[in-house]
Amino acid sequence: MEGWDPNTKTTLTQIPLLSTKAGPRDGAAWTQRLKEEYKSLIAYTQMNKSKDNDWFRISAANPEGTRWTGKCWYVHNLLKYEFDLQFDIPVTYPSTAPEIELPELDGKTHKMYRGGKICLTVHFKPLWAKNCPRFGIAHALCLGLAPWLAAEVPILVDSGMIKHKDDAASSSES
Amino acid sequence: MEVELKEMLDELETLKRSLPDPSHYTTIDKLRLHVEHLTNLAKSAPVRRSKVKDMSAEVVDSNPYSRLMALQRMGIVENYERIREFSVAIVGIGGVGSVAAEMLTRCGIGRLLLYDYDKVELANMNRLFFRPEQVGMTKTDAAVQTLSEINPDVVLESYTLNITTVQGFETFMKSLTNKSFCPSKEGSGVDLVLSCVDNYEARMVVNQACNELNQTWMESGVSEDAVSGHIQLLIPGETACFACAPPLVVASGVDERTLKREGVCAASLPTTMGVVAGLLVQNTLKFLLKFGYVSPYLGYNSLKDFFPTMEMKPNPQCSNVACLERQKEYILAKPARDAAAKAKMEADASSTTECPLHDDNEWNISVVDDSVPDRKDARSSDALPEGLIHELPSADEFQKLPASEASATATDDLEDLRRQLEALNG
Ligand SMILES: [Zn+2]
């Protein structure tokens, strides 16, 4: 796992792996996969909470579990910056990873494709491909979104592209 | 505007008459000429050509197809007009797809199906095709606007959707199978699918659809550093599919570790994209109109002006179920294929004896026998020709791990699991 910080590596190895190779068009096999996704997400969320490193909320936005929405946040200079989070499970999942979107930040950073899809590091896709079908949504958040927030939020804040909600509120009141 | 210009002319006339000093007349006459010129410009509304019923080979300046039909006269293409029967689907109307669409439109293709979910942005203006005044329009609508002006004979269908989502994929599949344009056609409703998308995820989706529909397609791509690209022909069951092996990329020769990626996702150049679009549509025309050699894979390294080529066999252990089905069908159809090939060879042989093609070889050129090159095994990277590398690794050998049961998640009921996650979220 060249190119990853030790913290991400340790966390990743503690997220339960999945075993069913099924996408949203695979009927009963997808339901099985969905159960594994939940187990893995539950374990990851519990782990984050126990380490006092809770950083996202995610739930399925439809009964089929093909669209997910939630929130993620990052603390920079003791201030918490929170963003809406969304993605679809692609029809070729899990051969291809979900493309995580932060729609509020669309157009605010170069490290983003159109529509607010975060631009992953060169290390993400190879690792995902190597570990298909064992990586799931929790792994995508841990390997994709967490390092992106850590790298980009400080830049976005320092460059003034995003403001803390208290600042934004007080400046609009004044 | 025309009314105002007319008033201006009248006022200039009044001014001229009211002036006692004739020395200003020339200036006023000059002004009047300018206004008249502007009036003419305002009057000339954009000219739209009307539809053409039959492609004519007549060489007159009003015939949009004369230079194309000349291909037939010169013996390059046997029947150019057949192009009007063909439907081509273009997935991704970006730097490559839009240019490919324009080329096919100018060639008089019968029908184009255009897929994209994105809008035109000012950031796209370093590429060809889209114009600044189209910013904000969906790429599909903007493309239809421009293409229908260029050639009203082409039937254009625009699909503004994301093919990777479950719903988008369904519409995508349905549109490809619609045969109303050419009901007599065998197979799906299109002759070729061109993938002009910019990411691995969408390519895998096109691959999925084409494997399921047994649809021949061509892949194209430009590297994120904008200096190399490739095109690839994929025939389900016959050639490697996009999932048979990790995707190939043309090595630019630039060390990945020295590539500075801070603050950028991807670069793009109109040149590389134009070259790749040209290669893609050239291969498309050769495939549809049956002339020349249709390349199975053609890479483009712009830094070295190097064009690697190769062929890939399908992987019998491909992870894509539909690919395996197509492979099985292809093997089963071998006797019929062999018989057809033999019949064709005999027919060709008898026609060549009747009229030898190159009897008078006065230049003494010896033509090397074009034997089929070795087809590479899709999986092993050692077999890759120089200048090509795999972009991603293969999935590790998959052993079914004993399910790692977290103590709190002993349940196996989906609704229970959903509630557990919600409880944690609360
Ligand atoms: Zn395959």
Side-chain angles (χ1 to χ4, degrees):
Chain A
M1 274 191 59
E2 202 189 324
W4 300 92
D5 66 281
N7 205 358
T8 305
K9 273 198 233 181
T10 330
T11 314
L12 183 78
T13 51
Q14 290 166 7
I15 304 174
L17 294 169
L18 295 78
S19 62
T20 306
K21 185 177 185 289
R25 291 167 72 241
D26 294 330
W30 170 243
T31 310
Q32 184 52 39
R33 170 87 191 185
L34 206 50
K35 289 178 193 172
E36 295 173 15
E37 296 283 358
Y38 272 111
K39 287 179 190 174
S40 159
L41 276 168
I42 289 164
Y44 184 35
T45 310
Q46 281 171 336
M47 190 167 85
N48 288 337
K49 288 192 175 209
S50 70
K51 287 185 186 165
D52 208 19
N53 181 34
D54 201 18
W55 68 274
F56 69 87
R57 291 283 171 270
I58 190 92
S59 17
N62 58 5
E64 301 81 24
T66 59
R67 182 166 180 79
W68 294 72
T69 53
K71 299 245 179 232
C72 61
W73 54 90
Y74 186 80
V75 177
H76 176 62
N77 291 340
L78 303 175
L79 292 173
K80 181 176 160 184
Y81 297 87
E82 192 176 80
F83 313 102
D84 286 337
L85 156 68
Q86 63 185 44
F87 54 88
D88 286 286
I89 301 291
V91 286
T92 43
Y93 188 78
S95 293
T96 60
E99 297 177 277
I100 298 168
E101 296 164 33
L102 305 178
E104 291 156 289
L105 297 182
D106 191 11
K108 294 194 170 173
T109 158
H110 286 294
K111 293 296 244 182
M112 199 163 246
Y113 296 105
R114 69 243 164 140
K117 288 177 181 168
I118 63 166
C119 182
L120 300 163
T121 71
V122 288
H123 311 292
F124 180 88
K125 284 184 189 183
L127 194 64
W128 183 274
K130 233 169 127 57
N131 286 282
C132 174
R134 288 167 294 180
F135 280 3
I137 296 170
H139 301 85
L141 293 171
C142 170
L143 286 170
L145 186 54
W148 191 92
L149 290 173
E152 301 308 317
V153 172
I155 296 172
L156 283 161
V157 173
D158 296 346
S159 66
M161 281 309 275
I162 55 172
K163 283 197 163 36
H164 190 258
K165 60 181 189 303
D166 296 346
D167 282 0
S170 59
S171 61
S172 65
E173 276 159 24
S174 60
Chain B
M1 180 148 154
E2 278 182 71
V3 179
E4 296 209 9
L5 287 167
K6 175 87 178 51
E7 277 170 16
M8 205 162 162
L9 277 177
D10 292 345
E11 277 158 27
L12 278 173
E13 193 55 43
T14 323
L15 183 68
K16 192 176 167 185
R17 267 189 238 134
S18 66
L19 280 178
D21 179 4
S23 67
H24 295 296
Y25 282 8
T26 40
T27 321
I28 289 180
D29 284 340
K30 261 191 203 160
L31 274 173
R32 217 175 58 186
L33 275 176
H34 282 305
V35 177
E36 275 166 6
H37 183 65
L38 280 174
T39 312
N40 282 335
L41 280 179
K43 270 184 197 159
S44 64
V47 188
R48 265 180 162 267
R49 84 156 163 89
S50 51
K51 293 193 185 192
V52 172
K53 196 171 162 288
D54 296 300
M55 277 190 178
S56 147
E58 194 191 359
V59 184
V60 286
D61 56 7
S62 61
N63 177 8
Y65 298 117
S66 61
R67 303 290 169 156
L68 293 164
M69 294 297 280
L71 286 167
Q72 199 169 307
R73 285 195 176 180
M74 289 181 179
I76 301 289
V77 179
E78 201 176 308
N79 182 357
Y80 188 85
E81 206 173 349
R82 275 201 72 199
I83 199 157
R84 302 188 79 162
E85 296 163 20
F86 297 126
S87 290
V88 174
I90 304 182
V91 187
I93 312 299
V96 174
S98 62
V99 177
E102 179 172 343
M103 287 176 173
L104 286 168
T105 297
R106 290 185 186 272
C107 285
I109 193 83
R111 173 170 163 253
L112 281 181
L113 296 83
L114 309 171
Y115 304 83
D116 205 301
Y117 64 89
D118 208 10
K119 286 188 173 150
V120 180
E121 293 173 7
L122 272 181
N124 303 142
M125 293 306 137
N126 70 321
R127 297 160 219 179
L128 305 174
F129 191 72
F130 290 117
R131 300 188 303 264
E133 65 267 27
Q134 291 176 319
V135 165
M137 289 176 81
T138 63
K139 287 186 174 172
T140 47
D141 287 348
V144 167
Q145 182 186 59
T146 303
L147 298 175
S148 62
E149 278 169 22
I150 291 173
N151 188 346
D153 298 332
V154 181
V155 176
L156 297 163
E157 289 176 26
S158 116
Y159 297 92
T160 310
L161 51 85
N162 179 351
I163 59 159
T164 69
T165 65
V166 177
Q167 211 187 357
F169 186 76
E170 243 169 64
T171 314
F172 178 45
M173 292 280 279
K174 219 178 275 167
S175 64
L176 292 179
T177 46
N178 182 348
K179 291 171 78 154
S180 52
F181 177 74
C182 189
S184 60
K185 192 186 140 351
E186 279 175 49
S188 79
V190 300
D191 297 276
L192 191 66
V193 174
L194 300 181
S195 168
C196 303
V197 298
D198 61 1
N199 63 88
Y200 172 70
E201 289 75 16
R203 287 186 179 97
M204 286 288 274
V205 171
V206 177
N207 184 64
Q208 181 69 36
C210 291
N211 276 346
E212 287 183 24
L213 297 173
N214 196 12
Q215 173 65 55
T216 299
W217 62 292
M218 285 183 202
E219 206 307 270
S220 68
V222 174
S223 62
E224 290 203 329
D225 60 13
V227 291
S228 59
H230 70 273
I231 61 161
Q232 183 178 357
L233 170 72
L234 297 101
I235 309 171
E238 186 177 336
T239 70
C241 89
F242 196 71
C244 274
L248 285 175
V249 283
V250 178
S252 65
V254 178
D255 188 343
E256 180 67 39
R257 285 165 298 181
T258 68
L259 207 59
K260 294 175 187 64
R261 282 176 180 272
E262 284 82 43
V264 286
C265 267
S268 68
L269 277 172
T271 47
T272 316
M273 289 180 151
V275 168
V276 170
L279 295 175
L280 179 68
V281 175
Q282 194 79 302
N283 221 32
T284 298
L285 293 174
K286 290 193 286 183
F287 171 81
L288 293 175
L289 297 171
K290 298 191 167 44
F291 66 100
Y293 170 70
V294 182
S295 276
Y297 185 100
L298 179 58
Y300 170 47
N301 174 337
S302 80
L303 296 183
K304 295 179 181 164
D305 278 341
F306 175 55
F307 295 80
T309 60
M310 75 170 311
E311 267 186 84
M312 268 193 300
K313 282 188 289 201
N315 174 1
Q317 270 104 46
C318 180
S319 63
N320 188 292
V321 181
C323 171
L324 297 181
E325 284 168 19
R326 297 293 90 79
Q327 290 187 41
K328 226 179 282 167
E329 288 165 10
Y330 185 74
I331 292 164
L332 284 176
K334 189 176 187 301
R337 224 171 20 248
D338 288 349
K342 194 171 162 231
K344 188 177 182 298
M345 223 164 67
E346 281 165 5
D348 286 355
S350 65
S351 70
T352 21
T353 33
E354 276 160 31
C355 62
L357 208 55
H358 298 290
D359 203 16
D360 47 349
N361 190 351
E362 57 177 307
W363 305 102
N364 250 330
I365 298 167
S366 70
V367 182
V368 182
D369 182 35
D370 281 21
S371 56
V372 182
D374 284 347
R375 299 219 301 167
K376 304 291 184 196
D377 189 314
R379 287 157 296 165
S380 67
S381 50
D382 330 320
L384 288 182
E386 191 198 332
L388 293 176
I389 48 171
H390 284 301
E391 191 180 26
L392 295 172
S394 311
D396 284 346
E397 211 51 61
F398 171 51
Q399 328 97 322
K400 197 151 174 133
L401 295 157
S404 45
E405 293 286 336
S407 56
T409 58
T411 174
D412 201 45
D413 180 73
L414 192 60
E415 209 35 58
D416 269 2
L417 288 164
R418 202 194 314 263
R419 271 195 293 268
Q420 274 188 42
L421 184 64
E422 283 314 309
L424 282 169
N425 282 348

